[in-house]
Amino acid sequence: MAGAHSSTPAELKAQLEAERRGISFLLYRDAGGGQRILELEPGGGTITIGRRGDNAVPLGWDAEVSRVHAQLERVGLDWVLIDDGLSRNGTFVNGERTAGRRRLRDGDRICCGETVLRFRSPVGEESRSTAAVPAGSAQLMLTETQRKLLVALCRPLQDSAYATPATNREIAGELHLSVDAVKAHLRVLFERLGIDGLPQNQKRARLAAVALVDGLVRPHDF
């Protein structure tokens, strides 16, 4: 079931890149647990969600999803979810069953059968996700210690984007700092990069993804 997984640094990097393009998108997981991102182009027409393979969002593995379960349609500057009787088991947004049409907002959680899709709209006044990262992170002024800490955090990812970022103890050993000092520096970076509001178990992977996407850490740093 989508949403039950912790995102890897590579998946977070893909999410960040989608956010930076400024186009609304759907985020969900396939039958094998892999992340899927479907960008919703403004002129792309109606988006269908369903079990049949010809849907824009094909959820063939979910027996609770109807062949054509729901639709997304562009109305002005917004995306609207439509379920006017198409689905057998209903479509839910943030736990509420949708009857007819519902305007979507950034971060809305859409449930079709046993599958959860997250609607993201990174730009506009309705965008209020705490996971968003301010643009221009690459222009942040970092201290030498902060820069070295980010390099150490991301070092395991140079061989595999799906690896886990370095632990506090590993960073402390590389930089000859105490674990408490590493934690203090990380707290500052979380705050400066706007990710301090994320759940604790997501912050490190998000920080590593931001550092790599925004060029705070580059290949030659390793």
Side-chain angles (χ1 to χ4, degrees):
M1 182 172 176
H5 302 255
S6 295
S7 295
T8 66
E11 290 170 342
L12 285 168
K13 182 178 179 182
Q15 292 175 33
L16 279 167
E17 289 170 344
E19 290 171 9
R20 297 290 163 72
R21 285 192 286 274
I23 298 173
S24 297
F25 61 91
L26 289 176
L27 180 69
Y28 65 102
R29 291 188 180 275
D30 60 23
Q35 176 175 277
R36 291 288 178 266
I37 293 176
L38 175 66
E39 293 190 351
L40 305 174
E41 298 286 349
T46 300
I47 301 296
T48 58
I49 303 171
R51 199 172 71 249
R52 216 166 56 193
D54 60 351
N55 287 288
V57 182
L59 308 177
W61 62 88
D62 192 334
E64 300 300 314
V65 171
S66 299
R67 286 178 297 176
V68 179
H69 195 97
Q71 298 175 311
L72 269 68
E73 185 177 284
R74 181 84 171 185
V75 179
L77 298 177
D78 297 314
W79 281 93
V80 174
L81 177 72
I82 305 169
D83 185 345
D84 51 6
L86 282 174
S87 67
R88 180 178 70 252
N89 296 320
T91 304
F92 297 79
V93 178
N94 302 329
E96 298 179 1
R97 185 163 184 162
T98 297
R101 303 163 73 89
R102 175 166 177 156
R103 185 177 68 164
L104 294 174
R105 299 175 183 272
D106 181 48
D108 276 351
R109 187 174 181 269
I110 303 167
C111 186
C112 299
E114 295 295 324
T115 302
V116 174
L117 306 95
R118 185 75 65 175
F119 174 76
R120 290 301 323 280
S121 183
V123 296
E125 62 184 9
E126 299 298 339
S127 180
R128 59 188 185 282
S129 170
T130 57
V133 178
S137 299
Q139 280 70 54
L140 282 178
M141 296 297 294
L142 298 175
T143 66
E144 185 64 17
T145 299
Q146 289 171 342
R147 190 188 66 78
K148 289 180 178 179
L149 187 147
L150 286 176
V151 172
L153 177 75
C154 298
R155 191 176 301 283
L157 308 180
Q158 65 176 318
D159 296 321
S160 171
Y162 290 91
T164 303
T167 66
N168 290 344
R169 190 168 297 280
E170 288 169 340
I171 296 171
E174 179 174 334
L175 302 186
H176 305 292
L177 296 171
S178 68
V179 171
D180 286 341
V182 170
K183 290 179 179 178
H185 283 297
L186 284 173
R187 282 196 295 271
V188 171
L189 288 168
F190 292 153
E191 183 175 353
R192 292 190 66 190
L193 289 168
I195 58 179
D196 51 324
L198 289 176
Q200 193 62 37
N201 64 349
Q202 296 180 21
K203 290 180 181 179
R204 300 170 65 81
R206 186 73 175 191
L207 178 59
V210 171
L212 292 169
V213 169
D214 284 0
L216 297 173
V217 173
R218 300 180 184 276
H220 66 259
D221 292 324
F222 301 117

